[in-house]
Amino acid sequence: MSAQIIPQNIEAEQVSSKISNFIREFNISQLLRLSNFKKIKGVPCQQVLKFIFSLVFSQKNLFRYLQTEENSPHKKDVVYRFLNSASFNWRKLLLLLSSTVIMQKLVKLTSADNHRHVFIIDDSIYSRARSKRVELLAKTYDHVKKKYVHGFRMLTLGWSDGISFIPLAFSMLSSPDKRNRLCGTKQMDMRTNGGKRRKESIQKATSVMLKLLEEAKKYLIPGSVVLFDSWFAFPAIISAVLDMSLHIICMVKAMPKVRYLFEGKELPLNQLYRAIRKKPGRAKILASVIVHITYKNKKIPVKIVFVRNRNKSAKRRWLALLSTDTELSDEEIVRIYGKRWDIEVFFKATKSFLGLGKEYQSRCYDALVAHTTIVFMRYTMLEIESRDEEDPRTIGNLFYICCAEMEDIKLIDSLKLILSILKECIEESFIVSKEELDALFDLFLKRLPIHYKRLFGFLTCES
């Protein structure tokens, strides 16, 4: 999704109409009730959600909107009371919405044979660089900047069919190490949704990742492969995901403690690459091999594909992809893993265009989760709008009726038509008798294979 689908000068009425259609089409009012959303005072939850949802399209944050709009439908206290609620189940709301969008809208538009449905897991820094008193704020290592920053790790699970990316669930992770947590949490009942969110935030990312996958499977979201980067490519994670009846395609890096069983020897990745035979020339795929990884005395067969590293400044001239589905071809493994880039585009779009981490500066952990969920819902709506505009199959039965009327001409019919036109052109442009023209085409047909002679026999029969 690009910024082009978020017009800068779009009219307020048009935005409100599209948001209303989105809320009505996917019955978000019912999803709110199923997710334990109940109004505390006189304003219904759906109205407050729609108001917050539409703010980013007005190019204003809440403070600026209330300052410039005298007839605002909601005041600041109403909005923050809604965002700070610990009883609302925001994860369930996002999962219900995403599963509804996927099952009712997107699955019908893709073929499982050509577009394999995949789950994608990755994390991104949710920066709060200037904050000091945000609940559960932690020092988090930023792999891009190569330093620790104040904020959270936003671990995100998404779904993709190769065309559209839909966020399914996320967890705003603090640090499991108390020494890295800059702020504590407020006293509350840990049995509430807010309490469960806080307990989860101090768990390890690998444990939370498996939990997100388990919850997504409960909603019957279609997907057979999980894609992730090398940060999660450990034997324990691979084994746990396989136990969920899901395959894995991931990047792997050379780690001294992770070894691969090849021809009776356990080799690290560097030595494995040196031990196998490479393809000659400048091939993009350098080599591939089926090996085993061991976890708790269980041998797991995996296929490792080595591809050429296009980054000329990198130390290694190769990258390695691991697939637990050993029957896939090398090219198919590379093609499927390419879908992982969808989540990077998602992170960029939400932070740059949809106000993630910038629209509110609340200190409450529940408000951070609520705001992030609303941003993910905005992205889902824009993905649906983009798909409706670009994919002709979204117009329903009319598309298939048009396809039936505009059926492609078969190859043999096309050849017959071309030869007939050629014959007419020769008759009109050259002084050639019909006998000579027929003799010319008879000679041409005699040199064709037998099955073509029968198909083109009509040419010699025409008067």
Side-chain angles (χ1 to χ4, degrees):
M1 188 195 74
S2 65
Q4 293 178 356
I5 66 174
I6 313 175
Q8 300 295 318
N9 56 351
I10 190 169
E11 296 182 1
E13 294 180 1
Q14 188 177 354
V15 171
S16 179
S17 175
K18 287 188 176 294
I19 294 174
S20 298
N21 292 337
F22 176 73
I23 292 173
R24 183 171 54 255
E25 180 180 1
F26 298 105
N27 203 2
I28 291 180
S29 59
Q30 182 181 0
L31 303 185
L32 289 170
R33 290 193 294 270
L34 293 173
S35 305
N36 199 39
F37 281 72
K38 300 176 182 178
K39 66 177 184 179
I40 300 175
K41 293 188 178 181
V43 183
C45 293
Q46 181 178 325
Q47 291 184 16
V48 185
L49 177 65
K50 182 180 178 182
F51 171 71
I52 301 172
F53 193 100
S54 60
L55 273 179
V56 73
F57 301 104
S58 66
Q59 306 296 315
K60 299 175 184 176
N61 58 21
L62 179 63
F63 173 77
R64 184 62 59 189
Y65 185 88
L66 295 176
Q67 195 176 48
T68 56
E69 298 291 336
E70 298 180 357
N71 299 322
S72 174
H74 306 294
K75 300 301 180 183
K76 183 173 70 172
D77 291 345
V78 174
V79 173
Y80 277 98
R81 188 164 57 242
F82 178 79
L83 294 174
N84 293 343
S85 175
S87 62
F88 298 164
N89 194 338
W90 289 99
R91 179 173 296 171
K92 185 176 182 179
L93 173 64
L94 185 59
L95 277 167
L96 284 171
L97 174 63
S98 301
S99 60
T100 303
V101 167
I102 292 168
M103 298 303 293
Q104 292 185 5
K105 192 84 173 179
L106 298 180
V107 169
K108 300 176 182 178
L109 302 178
T110 55
S111 170
D113 297 332
N114 299 326
H115 299 277
R116 189 184 291 253
H117 301 147
V118 298
F119 296 108
I120 308 173
I121 294 177
D122 201 2
D123 62 346
S124 181
I125 296 296
Y126 186 98
S127 178
R128 293 297 296 265
R130 298 183 179 182
S131 300
K132 296 181 180 179
R133 297 182 182 179
V134 176
E135 191 175 3
L136 291 172
L137 184 70
K139 290 188 292 183
T140 305
Y141 187 74
D142 189 337
H143 293 280
V144 177
K145 298 180 179 179
K146 305 295 183 182
K147 64 178 183 179
Y148 281 90
V149 297
H150 291 188
F152 302 87
R153 285 181 68 187
M154 187 176 67
L155 182 64
T156 305
L157 170 66
W159 177 94
S160 175
D161 60 358
I163 303 171
S164 299
F165 177 85
I166 302 296
L168 300 178
F170 70 93
S171 183
M172 202 69 71
L173 298 179
S174 183
S175 174
D177 190 347
K178 288 184 178 180
R179 293 172 295 182
N180 288 335
R181 293 202 292 268
L182 303 176
C183 298
T185 182
K186 64 181 181 181
Q187 296 294 326
M188 65 181 309
D189 188 350
M190 288 298 171
R191 296 172 296 178
T192 62
N193 289 313
K196 293 175 183 178
R197 287 192 287 263
R198 286 165 172 80
K199 285 195 293 185
E200 183 182 83
S201 69
I202 58 176
Q203 295 177 5
K204 291 184 177 180
T206 51
S207 301
V208 178
M209 164 191 166
L210 297 175
K211 182 180 178 182
L212 295 180
L213 274 174
E214 289 175 354
E215 292 185 2
K217 288 205 68 180
K218 291 178 182 177
Y219 287 84
L220 303 178
I221 298 172
S224 57
V225 182
V226 182
L227 310 180
F228 49 78
D229 206 350
S230 58
W231 309 112
F232 302 99
F234 296 96
I237 298 297
I238 293 172
S239 176
V241 175
L242 284 174
D243 290 340
M244 299 180 191
S245 301
L246 294 169
H247 280 295
I248 294 170
I249 298 178
C250 64
M251 185 81 71
V252 288
K253 60 182 179 180
M255 294 181 286
K257 294 184 179 180
V258 179
R259 295 176 177 266
Y260 304 91
L261 184 60
F262 175 67
E263 295 181 346
K265 299 179 181 179
E266 290 190 344
L267 303 175
L269 193 63
N270 288 332
Q271 294 183 20
L272 177 64
Y273 177 74
R274 289 195 291 267
I276 61 178
R277 188 175 181 180
K278 318 301 186 301
K279 294 182 180 179
R282 298 290 297 173
K284 294 181 180 179
I285 297 177
L286 301 174
S288 65
V289 62
I290 296 178
V291 295
H292 290 79
I293 56 175
T294 305
Y295 178 72
K296 292 185 177 180
N297 299 322
K298 181 173 65 173
K299 291 183 179 180
I300 304 172
V302 298
K303 186 174 187 179
I304 297 182
V305 179
F306 293 94
V307 298
R308 192 176 300 278
N309 190 353
R310 292 184 297 178
N311 185 2
K312 296 182 179 180
S313 62
K315 294 181 180 178
R316 291 190 181 90
R317 295 301 175 89
W318 51 267
L319 299 172
L321 299 178
L322 180 148
S323 171
T324 55
D325 189 349
T326 57
E327 296 181 358
L328 291 176
S329 65
D330 299 347
E331 293 76 11
E332 185 69 3
I333 291 172
V334 175
R335 185 189 72 82
I336 294 174
Y337 185 75
K339 297 179 183 181
R340 199 199 70 82
W341 186 251
D342 291 351
I343 200 169
E344 302 291 353
V345 176
F346 165 75
F347 288 144
K348 176 64 176 178
T350 52
K351 292 179 179 180
S352 299
F353 305 114
L354 299 180
L356 181 64
K358 302 174 184 177
E359 198 171 10
Y360 297 97
Q361 296 299 318
S362 176
R363 299 176 182 176
C364 178
Y365 184 79
D366 293 309
L368 298 180
V369 174
H371 167 243
T372 304
T373 304
I374 294 172
V375 171
F376 284 16
M377 292 171 67
R378 291 169 180 163
Y379 188 91
T380 301
M381 185 193 76
L382 292 173
E383 279 288 83
I384 297 300
E385 288 291 325
S386 177
R387 191 67 175 267
D388 285 343
E389 291 180 4
E390 297 175 1
D391 196 329
R393 287 169 293 185
T394 56
I395 63 178
N397 291 332
L398 181 60
F399 170 77
Y400 298 101
I401 293 171
C402 293
C403 288
E405 292 179 353
M406 300 173 62
E407 184 179 2
D408 290 340
I409 300 175
K410 295 179 181 178
L411 174 61
I412 191 62
D413 294 332
S414 301
L415 293 175
K416 287 179 179 180
L417 179 61
I418 292 171
L419 290 176
S420 297
I421 295 173
L422 176 61
K423 188 175 181 180
E424 292 174 1
C425 291
I426 293 174
E427 289 178 343
E428 293 176 3
S429 303
F430 300 96
I431 304 175
V432 181
S433 65
K434 289 186 178 181
E435 290 77 12
E436 291 175 333
L437 186 60
D438 289 339
L440 175 63
F441 273 84
D442 284 341
L443 178 63
F444 170 73
L445 291 172
K446 284 180 182 179
R447 299 192 179 184
L448 292 176
I450 296 174
H451 59 280
Y452 280 116
K453 289 180 182 178
R454 291 195 297 266
L455 293 171
F456 289 120
F458 78 102
L459 287 171
T460 59
C461 299
E462 289 182 346
S463 58

